[in-house]
Amino acid sequence: DDPRPLLKGQRVEPGDIAILVCKHKEANLLHRQLSQRNIPAVRQSAGNIFDSDEASDLQLLLQAIVEPNRQAGLRAALATDLFALSDEELRKMLLGLPIHEPIGKEGLHQFQDYVVRFETARKLWLRGSVIRAFREISRACGIRRHLLSLEDGERRLTNLLQLLELIHQAAMENRLGPEGVIQWLARQRAKDTRDENDAFESRLESDALAVRILTVFKSKGLEFPIVFVPTLGLRVPDIRGEHCLYHEKS
């Protein structure tokens, strides 16, 4: 028999459940915990997309496309989570040794193979767009497949695709070349120079049949049959300052 509880005669599904939190870091922690227990869950918002790890990784990747022959820059890009290279594999390639398991559809197994692919991507960027350049690297190196194999892979891929869309839009609207795109991305990643734009909020992953994790500022949870607020009771009010009120017994 199905051990799941009933809700109005129907089995409770993950999509019936919402979890409300006060901070994005609480949402991230709960999302990881649910994922480790194989419970599908998505976050409504994970903050500004340019604060994500994928923004940092993508900046390194794009910088390496702009300067494919600068070893330090390409090495930094290949060391990010966007690529399926281990530290040992990257070390071997930097020593001029091939790796045993070639990466991606192109069978990349030496550092020079990556230099060639990034040089090709740079030409595509100069003749076309940042999207074409990224697609060349993604196809050759299997970025999409690799990200989806990681824990929280759907979130990572969603972040990456949203970042590329925003960068491409900024490049078109402002007629930015590769160097201009790098500078624009760096400004958006810096909190004191970034633009204010609702489009910069991290998008929701696919929410089909998944527990929704939301901040109390986005939703009160009234649209969900089952709502948990696990961290609200852990918060201690700050009573410092001159606005603390009290009542005498009289």
Side-chain angles (χ1 to χ4, degrees), residues 188-203:
Q188 302 313 317
R189 292 192 56 229
K191 294 183 179 180
D192 56 342
T193 59
R194 68 173 45 148
D195 300 327
E196 294 296 328
N197 192 325
D198 289 342
F200 295 170
E201 283 290 309
S202 296
R203 288 177 184 163

Side-chain angles (χ1 to χ4, degrees), residues 84-94 99 101 103:
L85 289 166
S86 67
D87 292 342
E88 178 60 20
E89 288 172 328
L90 184 55
R91 186 190 69 82
K92 288 180 65 175
M93 288 198 304
L94 290 171
I99 58 177
E101 295 293 335
I103 302 296

Side-chain angles (χ1 to χ4, degrees), residues 60-194:
L60 291 172
L61 186 153
L62 296 180
Q63 187 66 56
I65 293 177
V66 172
E67 301 177 285
N69 291 295
R70 189 171 71 89
Q71 187 184 89
L74 182 53
R75 181 181 67 228
L78 295 179
T80 68
D81 286 342
L82 299 178
F83 296 88
L85 289 166
S86 67
D87 292 342
E88 178 60 20
E89 288 172 328
L90 184 55
R91 186 190 69 82
K92 288 180 65 175
M93 288 198 304
L94 290 171
L95 292 174
L97 302 172
I99 58 177
H100 295 299
E101 295 293 335
I103 302 296
K105 292 185 177 181
E106 302 294 322
L108 307 175
H109 63 281
Q110 296 190 76
F111 193 79
Q112 188 59 31
D113 294 336
Y114 286 93
V115 173
V116 172
R117 295 265 54 93
F118 275 72
E119 286 177 339
T120 300
R122 180 176 182 274
K123 294 175 183 177
L124 290 172
W125 193 346
L126 293 173
R127 295 199 304 262
S129 66
V130 63
I131 295 292
R132 289 187 63 190
F134 174 80
R135 284 176 179 169
E136 169 65 16
I137 298 300
S138 180
R139 179 194 63 80
C141 303
I143 288 178
R144 184 186 187 95
R145 181 175 63 254
H146 169 61
L147 286 179
L148 289 176
S149 72
L150 301 176
E151 180 183 350
D152 207 12
E154 186 178 356
R155 173 78 266 168
R156 297 178 190 227
L157 183 59
T158 298
N159 284 348
L160 184 61
L161 296 178
Q162 182 182 356
L163 285 162
L164 284 165
E165 182 180 319
L166 291 171
I167 290 169
H168 178 71
Q169 181 178 350
M172 295 296 101
E173 291 178 352
N174 300 294
R175 298 184 178 182
L176 302 176
E179 289 80 7
V181 165
I182 299 296
Q183 293 172 6
W184 182 87
L185 179 54
R187 287 200 306 273
Q188 302 313 317
R189 292 192 56 229
K191 294 183 179 180
D192 56 342
T193 59
R194 68 173 45 148

